[in-house]
Amino acid sequence: MPMDPSSAMLSQALLLLQCIILTLGQYDICKSLVSTDDGPTWEYYACQPKPMSMKEYMQIRVEPPDITCGNPPERFCTLENPYLCSDECDASTKELAHPPELMQDRERTGLITYWQTVTWSRYPEPLLANISLSWNKSLELTDDIQITFEYGRPTIMVLDKSLNYGRTWQPYQYYADDCMDAFGMLPKRVQDLSATNVTRVICTEQYSRWVGSKNEKNVRFEVRERFAIFAGTKLQNMDNLYTRMESMKGLRDFFTFTNLRLRLLRPALGGTYVQRDNLLKYFYAISNIDIPARCKCNLHAGQCSLRDGTLQCDCEHNTTGQDCSACERGFKAKSWKPGSYLPTPNGSPNICEASGTSDKCNCNQLGSFHARCNDTGFCQCREGTTGQKCEDCLPGYTWKQGCVPNVCDDELLLCQNGGSCIQNQKCVCPPSFRGVLCEQSRCQGEKGCDGASACYLSTLTLLLCLLANSLLKASA
């Protein structure tokens, strides 16, 4: 029996909606329930968590231990008012203390709070401070790192990163008012880099010279400008960036880290040499460290959660571990490998395949997803199929090269909840329902859930799902 025009139009609309949903996301969907000749089944995609601000999750350690001001209390002055030294740092008084945690607070009161070091009273001994940031998790940068300094930016500093939880370090970027004098390097800007040397460690003078303005507070590690080398100035060609992430050796690792460290080597001098008659105006002060990044989940997870005080990937694709870097037990038929950004736009999930105790399982190839059974001896059955070997059909299904629904015959006549009977043999359900007769709510047993939960819960996707529901009702 040919399909009527309204049903054909509806099917095309639903297909278009699914294509839009999958294309617009940047690897943010791990799987989708799709219809096949054998019934509904999961289709898997490479996926990654959304970016978020990592400053709320970082652990801060400052060295040496006595570098933070206030113990004992001391006075300090500023470069703008070098001889008005009426300010005080006192660790025993909350209003006058400047502990390290103020580098990551939200400053809800509107007042700027900051960590501050002791003054350079021991000159000519160097005033050195190390700030180590840790997450106990592999992360990937998604935008610029920004450090906000109060009372002047350092004239010399280094940003380091670690890929092994702080056991070893490597420089990420050098900062100096004179790169050749400080590090023996010619100064460069990220704008000077190209696709062939985008991972080069550079020294920049852009953020270290004294400009005499309180508004010049920020020091950046430029990520967006490096992305733009491949994706364009407005990052409109992200497919090209993700393709380069796969094909260019070391590019993805360049944006990956477990720990970061700031080495503060010389404070702001106010555009002059060190004035020994007033050393109370030289110190470091940081009000904010912003690190936009995502959890590295090897393209096997769409979300990252804080569990037991640690960020952990919510692993899909039969993977497990904090970074989804291993196959689950019973899914090791193939060796683990990360997901791939290619082919765009959905990538390759590279899921872990199920493995069993033996091939002596004899799973029905039409009724099961895999030839091997799990550790309990049961096969993984397709929709509508049951039994230890997946060779029997559930009520409402008939064996025809696998179990297919017999929903519109004399036994089960009506599709429920607005479902449509197609070719007298299958119910096509609205997004809010599922089952042989569309008799089950997709959100059954879940609080605060509606029909849109079948789709990925972004604002755009929710609107698309509502449109699909309206089309279904209009064609009924």
Side-chain angles (χ1 to χ4, degrees):
M1 179 184 297
M3 185 180 294
D4 63 271
S6 61
S7 297
M9 184 181 299
L10 175 62
S11 298
Q12 292 176 355
L14 290 174
L15 179 61
L16 177 60
L17 287 174
Q18 174 140 352
C19 291
I20 293 174
I21 290 170
L22 295 180
T23 302
L24 289 179
Q26 288 292 338
Y27 302 96
D28 51 5
I29 302 175
C30 293
K31 60 185 179 182
S32 177
L33 195 62
V34 298
S35 297
T36 68
D37 292 339
D38 296 325
T41 188
W42 288 110
E43 187 169 275
Y44 295 93
Y45 318 106
C47 53
Q48 59 189 2
K50 289 185 176 298
M52 55 185 179
S53 175
M54 290 296 171
K55 79 172 184 176
E56 299 179 23
Y57 305 99
M58 66 187 179
Q59 301 295 316
I60 302 177
R61 187 177 77 252
V62 173
E63 296 174 315
D66 60 352
I67 195 65
T68 300
C69 68
N71 188 20
E74 68 171 322
R75 292 183 303 112
F76 65 93
C77 42
T78 66
L79 294 169
E80 291 84 2
N81 298 295
Y83 297 101
L84 184 63
C85 301
S86 57
D87 294 315
E88 185 177 8
C89 179
D90 185 350
S92 64
T93 304
K94 182 178 180 181
E95 291 77 13
L96 300 177
H98 297 283
E101 55 265 29
L102 296 183
M103 287 186 272
Q104 64 184 135
D105 66 330
R106 293 192 177 185
E107 300 176 339
R108 293 185 177 90
T109 62
L111 297 175
I112 296 177
T113 58
Y114 51 91
W115 164 78
Q116 183 176 322
T117 69
V118 297
T119 60
W120 205 356
S121 59
R122 296 182 180 178
Y123 181 86
E125 179 183 326
L127 183 62
L128 307 178
N130 285 350
I131 303 168
S132 298
L133 312 174
S134 62
W135 291 265
N136 193 33
K137 177 77 182 72
S138 296
L139 305 174
E140 297 174 316
L141 289 172
T142 57
D143 211 327
D144 294 358
I145 296 174
Q146 179 172 290
I147 305 105
T148 304
F149 287 87
E150 304 296 328
Y151 304 111
R153 301 176 292 191
T155 53
I156 304 177
M157 65 170 274
V158 182
L159 174 64
D160 295 325
K161 78 165 185 173
S162 174
L163 286 167
N164 54 14
Y165 305 97
R167 290 190 290 273
T168 60
W169 296 89
Q170 60 194 75
Y172 227 171
Q173 190 150 295
Y174 296 96
Y175 301 83
D177 58 346
D178 188 327
C179 285
M180 184 59 70
D181 180 64
F183 301 112
M185 302 172 65
L186 291 173
K188 272 190 176 295
R189 296 168 63 118
V190 174
Q191 295 96 313
D192 302 327
L193 299 177
S194 64
T196 58
N197 64 1
V198 67
T199 60
R200 175 179 293 179
V201 176
I202 64 171
C203 178
T204 178
E205 298 177 352
Q206 185 175 357
Y207 303 103
S208 304
R209 291 180 172 167
W210 176 253
V211 292
S213 171
K214 290 185 178 181
N215 296 325
E216 295 293 336
K217 296 181 176 183
N218 296 325
V219 173
R220 293 181 180 273
F221 176 74
E222 302 95 335
V223 173
R224 179 173 287 266
E225 290 184 23
R226 287 178 167 91
F227 286 170
I229 292 174
F230 305 106
T233 54
K234 296 183 179 179
L235 303 186
Q236 294 178 332
N237 189 9
M238 291 298 289
D239 279 358
N240 188 47
L241 173 63
Y242 288 125
T243 298
R244 291 299 189 109
M245 288 282 194
E246 289 289 336
S247 61
M248 185 174 174
K249 184 178 180 181
L251 182 60
R252 191 171 178 190
D253 283 345
F254 180 78
F255 299 105
T256 302
F257 62 97
T258 59
N259 301 62
L260 294 173
R261 181 175 66 185
L262 290 173
R263 286 189 283 143
L264 308 179
L265 304 180
R266 192 169 69 194
L269 303 182
T272 65
Y273 294 102
V274 177
Q275 296 177 335
R276 297 189 180 206
D277 61 336
N278 188 3
L279 298 175
L280 300 183
K281 63 181 179 179
Y282 303 123
F283 54 89
Y284 305 104
I286 297 178
S287 59
N288 186 60
I289 300 178
D290 191 24
I291 302 174
R294 65 164 54 92
C295 292
K296 182 175 182 178
C297 301
N298 289 291
L299 293 178
H300 287 313
Q303 295 185 24
C304 189
S305 304
L306 189 66
R307 299 196 295 273
D308 301 324
T310 303
L311 286 170
Q312 299 183 45
C313 300
D314 298 340
C315 299
E316 301 275 0
H317 305 158
N318 305 322
T319 62
T320 188
Q322 191 180 20
D323 299 342
C324 306
S325 56
C327 290
E328 285 186 321
R329 183 181 179 185
F331 291 89
K332 296 182 179 178
K334 295 181 179 178
S335 59
W336 177 92
K337 63 184 299 187
S340 171
Y341 286 116
L342 301 177
T344 58
N346 298 320
S348 303
N350 297 329
I351 65 174
C352 291
E353 298 289 346
S355 60
T357 55
S358 170
D359 289 332
K360 298 176 185 174
C361 295
N362 196 27
C363 299
N364 187 290
Q365 295 185 3
L366 295 175
S368 66
F369 285 104
H370 311 286
R372 291 173 175 262
C373 58
N374 59 27
D375 292 342
T376 64
F378 279 81
C379 304
Q380 186 180 2
C381 297
R382 294 182 182 274
E383 180 78 19
T385 312
T386 188
Q388 183 176 3
K389 302 182 186 300
C390 303
E391 55 190 1
D392 298 318
C393 291
L394 292 169
Y397 288 82
T398 300
W399 187 271
K400 294 179 181 178
Q401 298 295 306
C403 294
V404 296
N406 57 333
V407 295
C408 304
D409 59 11
D410 293 336
E411 179 183 357
L412 300 169
L413 293 177
L414 297 176
C415 300
Q416 302 175 20
N417 296 308
S420 301
C421 182
I422 302 298
Q423 296 182 343
N424 201 39
Q425 63 179 0
K426 183 177 182 180
C427 284
V428 175
C429 302
S432 305
F433 297 92
R434 62 181 177 182
V436 176
L437 297 175
C438 311
E439 75 279 9
Q440 300 176 18
S441 170
R442 289 192 182 276
C443 298
Q444 200 166 28
E446 300 180 19
K447 291 184 177 180
C449 192
D450 59 23
S453 67
C455 297
Y456 183 73
L457 293 179
S458 66
T459 303
L460 176 60
T461 307
L462 178 60
L463 293 173
L464 292 173
C465 291
L466 292 173
L467 175 60
N469 199 19
S470 300
L471 288 171
L472 283 166
K473 290 181 178 179
S475 64

